[in-house]
Amino acid sequence: MRRFTLWMAVVAALVSCSKVDYRDANVPVEQRVEALLAEMTLEEKVGQMAQFCGVRHVEQRDKKAQADNQDAQGYYPGINADTLRKWTKQGLIGSFLHVLTPEEANELQELAVASRLGIPLILGIDAIHGNCLAPDNTAYPTSIGQACSFDTEMAYKIARQTAKEMRAMNMHWTFNPNVDVARDARWGRVGETFGEDPYLVSEMGLALVRGYQGDMQGGDDVLACIKHCIADSQPVNGANHAPSDISERTLLEVFLPPYERAIREASAGSLMTAHNEINGVPCHKSKWLMEDLMRDEYGFTGFVVSDWMDIERIHSLHKCAETRKEAYYQSIMAGMDMHMHGLHWNDEVVELVREGRIPESRIDESVRRILTAKFRLGLFENPFCDVDEGRKVRLCEEHRQTALESARNSIVLLKNDGILPLDAAKYRRILVTGINADDHNIMGDWAGPQKPENVTTILEGLREIAPQSEFVFVDQGLTPKRMTEANVNRAAQLARTADLNIVVAGETSVRERKGLKTCGENQDRAEIHLYGLQQELVRRVAASGKPTILVVVTGRPQALVWEHENLPAILCAWEPGMLGGQAVAEILYGKVNPSAKLAITFPRSEGQIQMYYNHKPSHYRHGLQDMPNRPLYPFGHGLSYTSYEYSDLTLSKSEIAPDESIEASVTVTNTGKRDGVEIVQLYIRDCYSEVTRPVLELKGFERVALKAGESKRVSFTLTPQKLQYYNLDMERVVEPGEYNVLVGPSSRKKELLKASFVVK
Ligand code: BGC
């Protein structure tokens, strides 16, 4: 009887599908998807799962480098851009990446729309901190700087504006946010992350997903992609792609929460698996990750995309499949939905289905997910963009203002013995030097070339803010890899004639500078002090006896022990985006009071790695012989030109049940003479637990604007979700016992006020 009813239901569904016109926008998305799927050939279905590099990209590669292993670069041996055009028109390609202009986006879309079923493409791009890989778009600070602002509203705004700039160019899907928890500064991609704390990373990730996706009703929304699942931020030796060997407990406590929350609380629409293997299993063939955790446990309903040719690497690198085709099989059967990118996918996956190894129903699942995204983004109704209208949105004044504001909020004042803010009357002749002083590297990784008139370098910012001063500039080139003794000597000499020296040092991560970069994707380091001759430059300039301040432009923490001990002030600008030069100058001259706090620990040396504030109790039982157990600058550290005092920490209750919440309130007073914004941080400590827990765990933060002399009461709610952890049986519970609540300006214990409560 049950079988019969089921059969009837299937027939009814089929009959109703046959009546549905998938092109009709008034029909519910689920029905449109089924109606379209019913009309597709196997080749067309597998085509929807295939992504390729854009035709301009391929044309450039064709010209440049056909010789070496160019699959990886997006050069497809044996075919050219016209073949891609033909396949698009045949409905055999579902998506492109690395399309950088609206003209190309429209051209490709026209071909897709002219295909038999007219299924539009979903165009993906790494719009990581603005859609600035493409020219003439706004470049905001990179993610690590955004995290240091602890400003989730600003992150939401950045994502919303990025979505608008993307849709203005006919791009629909950003490969962001990167919600990896970063605890190893040697890894080159730290700048793409929100730092070392799972709670902060989760909150920033949520804000971005919500900002990108809006209500997912088309218009100016884009699909978010949470990546790289999982733990690619902690590979062996900090080397990108290397294995990550991390216990299940640490994965669940540290690395997975941002994914879980982005899925459960913001319905992140897509997910990218990581280059690395996790505990012996390449992430691209991990059913445990893609199916068991993400879909079955967290409720992920979007689609999974592979990272750049990583399915092939199950065969070629990890050696877990004897052939490429076998790698495709393993990945699809583990839950993969879309292939980024390469020549052989279409044919070999079709073969796998025809041979009966992959059921067509499994392919249907993936295609359903991809088509659902396309319908929800409104691509069938609006496959094109109006290029001229788009120009009004991209880089508009409102977006530039957000880029500036977010840069101001992201720059961390690490040290100041009182020399800052600079006295413009006192310092008239100023030497400015260093690789990042007059360079577009302030935009960071995942930024392409932008017009000079749209970018304010630090030197330009200084000249604008202090026109009465003379800025003498000694160029040190674009990268620390090419610095010369001669230029260092010149700077050292001129330093003696200046009233003040500003050295703008750090890393180089600009995308197109292949071979010259020191930071960014695949730019991992063994040491994390200032690269190359930069240390010498700082020391020689400081040896002039004139006050020397250091501005660091970087995508990773730097070990700055000598600099901290010998220089009066250090500013970490991170990669502050296209208006970062103005923001740095405004902070140096006190037009803006710095407020940002570190979202990641600055160790004294790479030898201290791993070093993070939320370590377990025994982490520093003995420590090292040659170095203190302390970092140079801890998580949450950041100075201001005013001072704040914390008082009167109270809790709403002294005892709660495990399913109850509790409120903590504290008074924060601006005790200095300048207005400012203080980032108030709340940590917890579970005093005794069945399984070890971190000595501190961030569970709340708030940016509080305070006028000079003003006090405010700030409240936080500690929910059961924030108190729970995995017990011995790996169950998520709120454990009975005593908890400390610690509130203050950083994770330094001596600066935190403490109160306690008991869970009954
Ligand atoms: C990176 C991804 C990125 C992709 C496409 C890969 O190398 O790991 O983060 O989205 O390239 O550019």
Side-chain angles (χ1 to χ4, degrees):
M1 182 63 194
R2 199 158 160 257
R3 266 179 101 177
F4 178 72
T5 331
L6 232 142
W7 188 78
M8 288 296 287
V10 171
V11 172
L14 285 175
V15 170
S16 82
C17 276
S18 66
K19 284 191 215 131
V20 167
D21 177 2
Y22 68 85
R23 293 174 200 262
D24 181 352
N26 296 316
V27 172
V29 167
E30 298 72 28
Q31 290 180 31
R32 296 178 82 183
V33 169
E34 291 310 319
L36 176 51
L37 196 60
E39 291 192 34
M40 292 172 77
T41 63
L42 175 61
E43 285 75 7
E44 285 166 339
K45 290 177 186 174
V46 174
Q48 283 304 306
M49 298 166 75
Q51 183 179 62
F52 281 85
C53 288
V55 288
R56 299 277 175 281
H57 184 90
V58 170
E59 277 158 359
Q60 276 166 17
R61 296 291 160 195
D62 278 356
K63 275 189 224 137
K64 257 199 213 153
Q66 311 197 351
D68 28 278
N69 166 27
Q70 287 308 323
D71 240 23
Q73 298 293 331
Y75 163 65
Y76 305 124
I79 69 153
N80 58 25
D82 280 338
T83 322
L84 292 181
R85 291 191 178 92
K86 187 176 82 192
W87 289 348
T88 308
K89 203 164 175 186
Q90 290 172 338
L92 299 177
I93 297 180
S95 174
F96 280 96
L97 82 161
H98 286 327
V99 172
L100 296 182
T101 64
E103 289 83 6
E104 183 185 347
N106 282 347
E107 177 201 334
L108 291 170
Q109 201 65 292
E110 241 172 70
L111 295 167
V113 169
S115 66
R116 190 177 75 88
L117 296 168
I119 307 175
L121 300 161
I122 182 165
L123 298 174
I125 188 162
D126 292 276
I128 309 296
H129 48 106
N131 192 23
C132 53
L133 204 52
D136 304 326
N137 286 325
T138 312
Y140 304 88
T142 57
S143 306
I144 189 70
Q146 291 182 37
C148 291
S149 72
F150 286 70
D151 193 342
T152 50
E153 279 172 35
M154 183 68 85
Y156 174 86
K157 202 167 167 188
I158 290 173
R160 200 81 285 280
Q161 295 180 357
T162 302
K164 289 184 181 160
E165 295 200 6
M166 288 176 68
R167 289 306 287 254
M169 296 183 72
N170 207 8
M171 296 174 188
H172 326 112
W173 174 25
T174 171
F175 304 130
N176 205 49
N178 182 329
V179 290
D180 302 320
V181 171
R183 315 200 290 185
D184 191 330
R186 297 169 301 178
W187 188 54
R189 304 188 75 170
V190 167
E192 273 178 64
T193 75
F194 299 109
E196 75 187 28
D197 179 72
Y199 178 74
L200 177 59
V201 173
S202 302
E203 291 290 314
M204 295 299 288
L206 279 174
L208 266 95
V209 172
R210 289 182 179 135
Y212 290 133
Q213 296 192 167
D215 55 9
M216 275 295 277
Q217 295 296 321
D220 49 22
D221 303 329
V222 298
L223 198 70
C225 181
I226 44 176
K227 68 182 191 185
H228 309 83
C229 188
I230 190 71
D232 73 327
S233 47
Q234 205 167 291
V236 178
N237 293 343
N240 207 28
H241 283 244
S244 296
D245 210 319
I246 298 173
S247 74
E248 186 186 358
R249 174 172 297 282
T250 303
L251 286 177
L252 287 167
E253 287 172 354
V254 178
F255 292 93
L256 285 163
Y259 288 87
E260 178 175 6
R261 292 195 56 202
I263 291 168
R264 284 193 201 277
E265 296 174 40
S267 303
S270 74
L271 177 147
M272 191 185 291
T273 33
H275 293 311
N276 50 281
E277 61 169 78
I278 182 74
N279 302 336
V281 183
C283 292
H284 281 70
K285 60 167 280 185
S286 173
K287 180 177 167 299
W288 174 71
L289 265 185
M290 291 184 261
E291 292 289 337
D292 304 353
L293 263 183
M294 298 297 147
R295 289 199 189 280
D296 297 347
E297 199 167 328
Y298 302 161
F300 177 61
T301 56
F303 65 89
V304 182
V305 63
S306 74
D307 202 349
W308 188 269
M309 304 205 81
D310 278 334
I311 307 184
E312 284 77 355
R313 289 193 191 98
I314 297 174
H315 158 65
S316 60
L317 181 68
H318 299 292
K319 307 289 178 195
C320 285
E322 285 187 14
T323 61
R324 182 181 52 222
K325 188 167 155 187
E326 176 64 18
Y328 291 153
Y329 169 78
Q330 292 183 4
S331 190
I332 291 176
M333 292 314 281
M336 184 58 66
D337 298 308
M338 190 185 277
H339 175 242
M340 179 198 287
H341 62 105
L343 211 40
H344 309 279
W345 172 266
N346 297 57
D347 288 348
E348 294 185 0
V349 175
V350 167
E351 276 170 31
L352 284 163
V353 179
R354 297 241 192 273
E355 287 160 8
R357 293 200 67 207
I358 298 182
E360 191 161 344
S361 56
R362 169 63 198 89
I363 300 294
D364 287 352
E365 279 175 356
S366 292
V367 179
R368 247 182 220 114
R369 293 165 187 153
I370 294 162
L371 292 178
T372 301
K374 291 185 175 184
F375 278 116
R376 290 187 63 203
L377 286 163
L379 301 184
F380 284 77
E381 289 69 45
N382 294 307
F384 305 111
C385 70
D386 181 326
V387 179
D388 292 330
E389 281 301 306
R391 284 202 192 98
K392 296 182 194 157
V393 176
R394 297 160 58 201
L395 259 177
C396 65
E397 196 39 46
E398 187 194 343
H399 296 186
R400 286 175 64 80
Q401 194 54 38
T402 305
L404 179 60
E405 282 283 316
S406 53
R408 288 169 176 156
N409 292 355
S410 68
I411 296 167
V412 187
L413 180 57
L414 295 174
K415 180 185 176 187
N416 183 20
D417 72 359
I419 189 170
L420 297 181
L422 291 174
D423 180 345
K426 188 165 165 196
Y427 305 113
R428 305 303 294 211
R429 183 177 155 85
I430 300 173
L431 171 79
V432 179
T433 190
I435 56 154
N436 285 318
D438 194 26
D439 189 48
H440 285 199
N441 185 46
I442 49 171
M443 288 188 291
D445 195 4
W446 298 109
Q450 300 291 337
K451 294 194 181 101
E453 63 267 30
N454 293 332
V455 181
T456 307
T457 68
I458 292 174
L459 181 63
E460 287 165 353
L462 288 167
R463 286 189 167 137
E464 266 166 44
I465 213 100
Q468 69 284 18
S469 295
E470 180 197 359
F471 291 94
V472 180
F473 175 52
V474 178
D475 198 352
Q476 300 292 339
L478 303 176
T479 167
K481 291 186 175 173
R482 298 257 173 99
M483 279 175 69
T484 63
E485 288 285 354
N487 285 339
V488 173
N489 288 340
R490 236 185 111 230
Q493 255 167 21
L494 280 167
R496 288 192 226 122
T497 70
D499 302 327
L500 173 87
N501 305 306
I502 302 177
V503 183
V504 189
E507 305 259 6
T508 307
S509 59
V510 169
R511 271 266 124 187
E512 82 269 17
R513 291 191 196 150
K514 296 221 161 53
L516 302 179
K517 299 192 287 180
T518 61
C519 193
E521 191 183 11
N522 301 328
Q523 311 301 316
D524 314 308
R525 289 184 60 187
E527 297 174 327
I528 57 164
H529 51 63
L530 291 177
Y531 195 108
L533 288 180
Q534 295 187 99
Q535 281 189 315
E536 189 186 324
L537 174 70
V538 174
R539 288 175 202 203
R540 298 270 312 280
V541 167
S544 65
K546 302 295 171 59
T548 297
I549 59 181
L550 174 65
V551 176
V552 193
V553 173
T554 177
R556 62 155 66 83
Q558 303 283 308
L560 300 168
V561 176
W562 187 92
E563 293 79 358
H564 177 79
E565 285 167 1
N566 292 280
L567 303 179
I570 305 177
L571 194 67
C572 176
W574 295 113
E575 297 150 327
M578 62 178 15
L579 293 171
Q582 181 179 338
V584 166
E586 287 173 339
I587 288 179
L588 290 178
Y589 278 90
K591 300 264 189 276
V592 168
N593 190 357
S595 58
K597 309 251 189 176
L598 291 179
I600 187 165
T601 301
F602 272 47
R604 307 172 70 85
S605 145
E606 55 286 336
Q608 289 182 314
I609 291 171
Q610 294 170 12
M611 178 169 252
Y612 37 84
Y613 86 93
N614 46 354
H615 58 81
K616 296 292 183 73
S618 58
H619 197 116
Y620 293 114
R621 170 80 174 89
H622 292 298
L624 308 170
Q625 288 309 305
D626 52 358
M627 205 163 281
N629 288 340
R630 292 181 310 280
L632 185 59
Y633 305 116
F635 177 88
H637 166 78
L639 305 173
S640 158
Y641 296 149
T642 187
S643 50
Y644 302 100
E645 224 173 73
Y646 286 70
S647 59
D648 200 16
L649 172 63
T650 57
L651 300 178
S652 58
K653 298 167 195 162
S654 56
E655 262 190 19
I656 56 168
D659 58 354
E660 272 184 294
S661 296
I662 183 168
E663 288 242 322
S665 307
V666 71
T667 301
V668 189
T669 306
N670 181 343
T671 51
K673 293 197 173 65
R674 297 183 54 126
D675 299 351
V677 172
E678 169 70 336
I679 297 168
V680 181
Q681 301 158 44
L682 177 139
Y683 300 88
I684 61 160
R685 165 96 202 237
D686 182 357
C687 299
Y688 292 94
S689 46
E690 189 177 56
V691 174
T692 60
R693 285 188 80 163
V695 293
L696 282 181
E697 295 174 66
L698 184 76
K699 295 294 173 186
F701 56 84
E702 196 167 321
R703 292 174 57 84
V704 185
L706 290 163
K707 300 217 171 306
E710 192 185 9
S711 288
K712 274 186 189 160
R713 195 95 183 125
V714 185
S715 295
F716 300 91
T717 305
L718 281 167
T719 58
Q721 188 197 22
K722 290 183 178 178
L723 297 175
Q724 67 195 5
Y725 89 128
Y726 290 89
N727 68 9
L728 206 49
D729 301 320
M730 297 308 268
E731 289 160 347
R732 230 176 332 198
V733 296
V734 177
E735 226 179 30
E738 187 185 356
Y739 289 75
N740 292 337
V741 176
L742 302 109
V743 182
S746 81
S747 66
R748 269 189 208 94
K749 281 205 200 104
K750 60 174 195 251
E751 295 181 341
L752 295 167
L753 296 181
K754 187 166 104 183
S756 303
F757 68 95
V758 171
V759 174
K760 285 181 283 185

